[in-house]
Amino acid sequence: MAALPKQKTAKARQGKRRGHLKLTPPTLEDCPQCHSPKLPHHVCPVCGSYAGREVIETKKPKKKTG
Ligand SMILES: [Zn+2]
């Protein structure tokens, strides 16, 4: 026989436990360069800018060489 719980878990107790399980949507802010939504304190994935300058190259529609 499988192990069984000694006592019933009341719905209030179950709810208290699951009260910490809620997921929150990520906070988004507008990019000051291209005004697309981006994560705060992150490089913009659209234009690759951070703190007013371009720090990473972004994929732009270019002709592939090879
Ligand atoms: Zn941007």
Side-chain angles (χ1 to χ4, degrees), residues 30-38 43-50:
D30 274 2
C31 172
Q33 295 286 320
C34 64
H35 303 289
S36 64
K38 72 171 194 66
V43 175
C44 176
V46 179
C47 64
S49 73
Y50 189 81

Side-chain angles (χ1 to χ4, degrees), residues 10-60:
K11 285 189 177 111
R13 197 180 184 89
Q14 187 182 49
K16 278 179 200 169
R17 184 171 64 236
R18 293 179 184 173
H20 298 281
L21 298 179
K22 189 187 176 186
L23 298 175
T24 53
T27 311
L28 294 175
E29 65 176 19
D30 274 2
C31 172
Q33 295 286 320
C34 64
H35 303 289
S36 64
K38 72 171 194 66
L39 291 170
H41 310 289
H42 282 67
V43 175
C44 176
V46 179
C47 64
S49 73
Y50 189 81
R53 64 192 178 93
E54 192 173 328
V55 287
I56 55 163
E57 276 189 40
T58 49
K59 284 179 183 174
K60 289 165 189 171

Side-chain angles (χ1 to χ4, degrees), residues 4-10 13:
L4 290 171
K6 205 165 197 174
Q7 284 194 311
K8 167 186 175 176
T9 307
R13 197 180 184 89

